[in-house]
Amino acid sequence: MATVCGDGRRRYGSLVLVDELRATVGSDHVFDGAGTSHVVDWTGRFVGATDLVVRPGSLDEVRRVLAIARAHGRAVVPQGGNTGLVGGSVPLHGEIVLSSARLNEVGVPDVDARRIVVEAGATLEAVQVAAASVGLRYPVDFGARASATIGGTIATNAGGVNVLRYGTTRAQVLGLEAVLADGSIVSTMAGLMKDNTGYDLRGLLCGSEGTLGVITRAVLRLVPAHVSVTTVLVGCESVSDAMSVVGRVGRASDTVDAAELMSRRGVSLTSEVTGVGAPFDAAWYVLVESSVGEEQGDTLARLLSGRSQVAVAESPARRRALWRLRDEHTPSIATLGTPLKYDVTLPLASLPRFVDEVGEAVTSVAPTAETIVFGHAADGNLHVNVLGAREERAIDETVLTTVGAYRGSISAEHGVGAAKREWLHLTRSAEEIAAMRAIKRALDPEGILNPHVLLP
Ligand code: FAD
Ligand code: MLT
Ligand code: ZN
């Protein structure tokens, strides 16, 4: 497919293809990916190549770009903010990158109906700001909010820090519009609260990682902005102790939005990188946040009475500082190198044992490697980042088979992408993988939509 042209650069497409794409989206919006951020993922671990990055500016242009790609037998990787962490958003096999960057409209929030219509390329932060402007909140939130797009968060069914109370992205999507591989359009943009007319195509496209359709718009649920927020950092002796805190606050109050686990190493590293001080030293930390629409009493303080290390954020600035200790874990870890990243879910009761076991398992394979564990403890979702290990596949195997032994999931919220596809069998049965293949074959028979991710 690739030919080397006079200028020595590889050209994947024929010039006819480039001309057709330019005639469709405009010359400025078709360019060579070489040397751009479009071909390397956020971690730097997945580096692809393409001479075709295309930025359609409308639903119809997305349809026509897919038709052209199909006519030329070319695969397409839909790309939003390119903050994905499993290698699913970059052209690892010379695919055309279809960027949603120009599809970034954010509608006016409908206050009464508590919803907002947005285009796929709108960032998470832009939607949060629009919601806040009318006293509402879009409840999906995580550190990459400034770059991650709504289309990407739907395609990966992103989780974030508020899943405990509001669910994952799938729970926020009231409707969506997408273009399938054959150019047909799926649209549930009426965003009806109840609509039981056949298969849930909206639910199917959530988490499909760009393999079943290109998401172009969505209707998202909004919730009341928090009027009164209590943010508390709790020091714990062990993961078991931390999980007892998570259980206590999670069970006792339905106003808890978040309960995030961090280790001494993760907090001290993030504190060092960001300059944000931790209020105390502990082996493990739980960052708990609860919010209500009206003034709330001292719910969390009462639930956590009797503990020796409890720091309540007395001001919005202090709340933001505590959250920076959590939000900036990923960029801080990245200052030490490119980690092997595992995003796993465990049954809550197994979590403490898993943390011990996975650390030992990594050390048995790579004695000098460092393992940093943190994550969304309330959801049983841990992020295991392994630094300084060369034995990549052996570490993959030991971490993910340990997860499988606990009947956990090899991917809690980031998706499968390219990184985890060969391990999918540890969480999905052969029959389930066959069913997913059948759906993929039915909706994308020519395999033009992100064909190298998700399915082994
Ligand atoms: P991209 O990276 O561009 O793409 C991701 C996947 O979605 C790819 O398979 C791509 O093909 C597909 N895709 C993108 N746009 C579309 C579209 N319009 N239609 C169809 N498919 C599309 N994730 C979490 O879930 N929880 C977290 O807490 C979290 N924290 C993070 C913190 C940091 C610092 C970073 C860097 C990442 C974090 N992530 C987290 C991972 C990442 O931000 C999410 O996976 C996010 O949903 C990706 O959005 P994106 O727009 O960057 O998508
Ligand atoms: C997070 O919760 O910070 C993210 O999912 C990122 C990560 O796993 O590194
Ligand atoms: Zn996460």
Side-chain angles (χ1 to χ4, degrees):
M1 192 80 70
T3 48
V4 182
C5 298
D7 58 7
R9 286 191 303 170
R10 284 182 304 169
R11 285 227 176 278
Y12 287 90
S14 71
L15 291 181
V16 169
L17 167 60
V18 178
D19 290 346
E20 286 174 6
L21 290 171
R22 285 192 170 137
T24 301
V25 302
S27 306
D28 293 350
H29 303 302
V30 180
F31 52 90
D32 193 328
T36 72
S37 60
H38 291 280
V39 297
V40 59
D41 84 312
W42 188 91
T43 68
R45 198 172 145 216
F46 296 94
V47 184
T50 183
D51 65 349
L52 285 175
V53 177
V54 184
R55 292 186 307 211
S58 68
L59 170 68
D60 187 49
E61 287 185 12
V62 170
R63 287 185 64 222
R64 289 159 57 197
V65 165
L66 287 183
I68 294 167
R70 211 173 43 246
H72 289 265
R74 294 295 307 280
V76 170
V77 177
Q79 189 181 82
N82 200 12
T83 65
L85 295 170
V86 287
S89 55
V90 288
L92 298 177
H93 302 265
E95 301 93 336
I96 294 172
V97 169
L98 188 156
S99 164
S100 62
R102 291 173 63 207
L103 300 170
N104 55 12
E105 285 280 302
V106 175
V108 175
D110 178 336
V111 180
D112 297 340
R114 287 188 182 171
R115 58 183 55 197
I116 188 169
V117 174
V118 299
E119 287 190 314
T123 62
L124 181 51
E125 190 168 59
V127 176
Q128 291 172 341
V129 167
S133 70
V134 293
L136 295 174
R137 179 160 63 118
Y138 180 58
V140 174
D141 189 32
F142 51 84
R145 62 185 70 83
S147 310
T149 63
I150 293 303
T153 57
I154 294 173
T156 56
N157 185 28
V161 295
N162 295 328
V163 168
L164 170 66
R165 188 167 178 193
Y166 296 104
T168 62
T169 296
R170 182 178 276 120
Q172 321 311 323
V173 178
L174 299 173
L176 66 74
E177 173 192 80
V179 186
L180 303 184
D182 67 358
S184 51
I185 291 168
V186 164
S187 172
T188 55
M189 289 302 285
L192 302 173
M193 289 308 280
K194 297 172 84 167
D195 172 7
N196 244 349
T197 49
Y199 298 137
D200 179 7
L201 296 176
R202 173 185 51 163
L204 179 67
L205 283 160
C206 290
S208 59
E209 300 187 51
T211 62
L212 297 181
V214 178
I215 296 157
T216 48
R217 281 193 307 158
V219 184
L220 301 174
R221 167 179 83 132
L222 300 176
V223 298
H226 27 63
V227 167
S228 162
V229 187
T230 307
T231 308
V232 183
L233 187 68
V234 186
C236 304
E237 294 148 16
S238 64
V239 177
S240 297
D241 183 28
M243 291 313 288
S244 70
V245 168
V246 172
R248 176 138 178 69
V249 297
R251 267 193 314 276
S253 160
D254 60 6
T255 64
V256 175
D257 295 351
E260 294 287 312
L261 177 71
M262 299 179 281
S263 70
R264 167 178 284 130
R265 173 62 172 140
V267 167
S268 61
L269 170 65
T270 307
S271 182
E272 195 186 307
V273 171
T274 60
V276 173
F280 42 70
D281 172 55
W284 291 91
Y285 297 81
V286 178
L287 180 59
V288 188
E289 183 156 286
S290 97
S291 67
V292 287
E294 67 291 332
E295 281 313 315
Q296 67 176 335
D298 57 354
T299 316
L300 279 187
R302 181 169 42 76
L303 289 172
L304 297 167
S305 63
R307 295 201 63 97
S308 58
Q309 290 184 315
V310 176
V312 181
E314 327 74 24
S315 67
R318 191 66 196 129
R319 171 179 175 251
R320 279 193 301 278
L322 290 180
W323 271 109
R324 279 197 70 197
L325 284 176
R326 171 58 185 87
D327 273 352
E328 313 255 344
H329 253 61
T330 300
S332 301
I333 290 169
T335 64
L336 302 179
T338 301
L340 294 174
K341 294 177 82 70
Y342 304 95
D343 155 46
V344 298
T345 320
L346 278 302
L348 287 180
S350 316
L351 210 135
R353 258 180 308 128
F354 169 78
V355 171
D356 290 341
E357 206 171 311
V358 78
E360 288 151 18
V362 168
T363 305
S364 70
V365 172
T368 59
E370 177 179 23
T371 302
I372 299 179
V373 176
F374 62 102
H376 319 285
D379 318 338
N381 176 191
L382 292 180
H383 297 308
V384 179
N385 281 220
V386 179
L387 287 149
R390 280 183 311 285
E391 311 80 345
E392 203 168 300
R393 200 177 178 289
I395 300 277
D396 278 2
E397 181 157 27
T398 196
V399 172
L400 297 175
T401 45
T402 306
V403 173
Y406 280 104
R407 300 177 60 73
S409 170
I410 62 158
S411 176
E413 56 177 14
H414 296 165
V416 177
K420 307 294 187 300
R421 57 192 292 225
E422 77 165 287
W423 306 101
L424 186 60
H425 65 282
L426 292 172
T427 301
R428 296 260 77 84
S429 69
E431 293 80 357
E432 288 169 332
I433 294 174
M436 290 195 269
R437 276 195 204 290
I439 292 169
K440 171 69 177 176
R441 259 196 313 276
L443 293 183
D444 180 18
E446 293 159 77
I448 66 160
L449 285 176
N450 227 353
H452 303 286
V453 307
L454 209 171
L455 290 170

